[in-house]
Amino acid sequence: MPAIIVIGTQWGDEGKGKATDQLGDRVDYVVRYSGGNNAGHTVVVGGERYALHLLPSGILNPSCTPVIGNGVVVDLDVLFSEIDALNARGVDAERVLISANAHIITPYHQVIDKVTERFLGNRKIGTTGRGVGPAYADKVNRIGLRIQDLFDPKILAQKVEAALELKNQMLVKIYNRPTIDAGEITKRLLAHAERLRPMVTDVSLLLNRALDAGKVVLLEGAQAHHLDVDFGTYPYVTSSNPIAAGACTGSGIGPTRIDRVVGIAKAYTTRVGEGPFPGELQGDVGEQLRQAGAEFGTTTGRPRRCGWFDALVVEQAVRVNAVTDIVLTKLDVLTGWDKIPVVVAYDVNGTRHDVMPMNQSDLHHATPVYEYLDGWTEDITGCRTFSELPATTQAYVRRLEELIGTRISGIGVGPDREQQVPLHDLL
Ligand code: GDP
Ligand code: IMO
Ligand code: MG
């Protein structure tokens, strides 16, 4: 089973970090292929909590080589502060490898992320403010900076100057902000070059050779299907392709080499930032879910918007990504409800939709149609086999499988690496 992709099936924070870490001891390479430090992946090992933003979750497994692919946008200040913080906790993080083609997030991308959000006012996206969108915009505009540019200071200086030419005019004339000095930026970037040099690799070559040799490669998604720039709730999305197809473009592995796509789905639904969320619970019930699941962003600390499990949301992700297995996370959080509602359809102005509507405006006007499943009161955090789960918990899992059209191969019953109920082998 050489190449496996892990993706989020909702709007992020499904528990991709934990799922990736759990497979780590059977994996040779863990590769981030999209996004940047907008991600926040929490891994809990023996009670110790690690919040990873840019580094792949495989970093916590000593036998695993962590890799940052070409599809990622890298903030070098964040990279090295994350490496230093892990080194200080006894994790050798210096071993991470980085694609020479990955793009760089600079301080001017962060400034632009923030001023454009302010400019949008109530049309804002609710970004993480990390400069991710503007860095991808420069990549597509062909004025981005790549990791390999750091090793040619003359070229780097020219590229920074070119990138800032229009941006400085915009900053002053439209956003009423001071200009940014190209020389200062170049100096700040070059300060990282020598420490970075041994990490820079032809990632595509490395991974293809590894697969040829029968090694196991796990491609760790960040963000999620419904934040994808093509398939998400545009424009309330991130600026990359977190979907499974993005794992190929973001790492340099061809589609025929992928063996399995594991979708991570929370047993309910959350979203951070703006954008449509038909099943959102505004009142006390939403607050109860938020408290029970500790639903506050790993990256920005913002309270996550909460709702019950939405089968349409996960079904679309299963379909578009050809998901082979689902890992259902945070099932323990649902303990204690008499009935657990599940969104099985949307009502859009009197018309029933059994799959997510094609048009975004329908999604904005959708109200959820619920099916009510029996709850349970037993503490399930100590369960390690499916048969140990209460009968109603088992029935909840089986009904979700029917609704989303794929098998559930693992169930999360707590944040710790060990708190998992396996149903089918993923590797
Ligand atoms: P990611 O971005 O997809 O990696 O997810 P996050 O780390 O942002 O958010 C998931 C949160 O849920 C983290 O705090 C995890 O420690 C926690 N978590 C993951 N799986 C479970 C689970 O099965 N039960 C509980 N109670 N918490 C979990
Ligand atoms: P992980 O990997 C949840 C959301 C932001 C915002 C939108 C665009 O931890 O699941 P961006 O800064 O990317 O331009 O913001 O995307 N967002 C996430 N929400 N989890 C994430 O990552 C996210 N990364 C971005 O809140 O709505
Ligand atoms: Mg997260």
Side-chain angles (χ1 to χ4, degrees), residues 326-347:
I326 288 280
V327 172
L328 188 70
T329 62
K330 302 190 97 162
L331 190 58
D332 53 300
V333 173
L334 295 185
T335 299
W337 297 87
D338 182 31
K339 290 281 177 190
I340 305 176
V342 171
V343 181
V344 293
Y346 296 150
D347 181 294

Side-chain angles (χ1 to χ4, degrees), residues 232-254:
T233 45
Y234 191 88
Y236 302 100
V237 293
T238 194
S239 302
S240 65
N241 285 117
I243 57 168
C248 293
T249 55
S251 70
I253 296 177

Side-chain angles (χ1 to χ4, degrees), residues 98-148:
I98 304 179
S99 166
N101 287 356
H103 278 248
I104 300 173
I105 300 181
T106 70
Y108 53 78
H109 295 119
Q110 290 164 33
V111 169
I112 289 166
D113 197 349
K114 286 176 187 140
V115 293
T116 47
E117 280 281 275
R118 220 169 295 147
F119 191 76
L120 283 169
N122 60 13
R123 290 180 296 119
K124 71 174 193 284
I125 307 298
T127 72
T128 59
R130 301 298 192 258
V132 169
Y136 279 116
D138 277 4
K139 173 178 176 176
V140 175
N141 265 334
R142 296 163 294 190
I143 51 168
L145 312 174
R146 295 191 293 174
I147 291 288
Q148 57 186 282

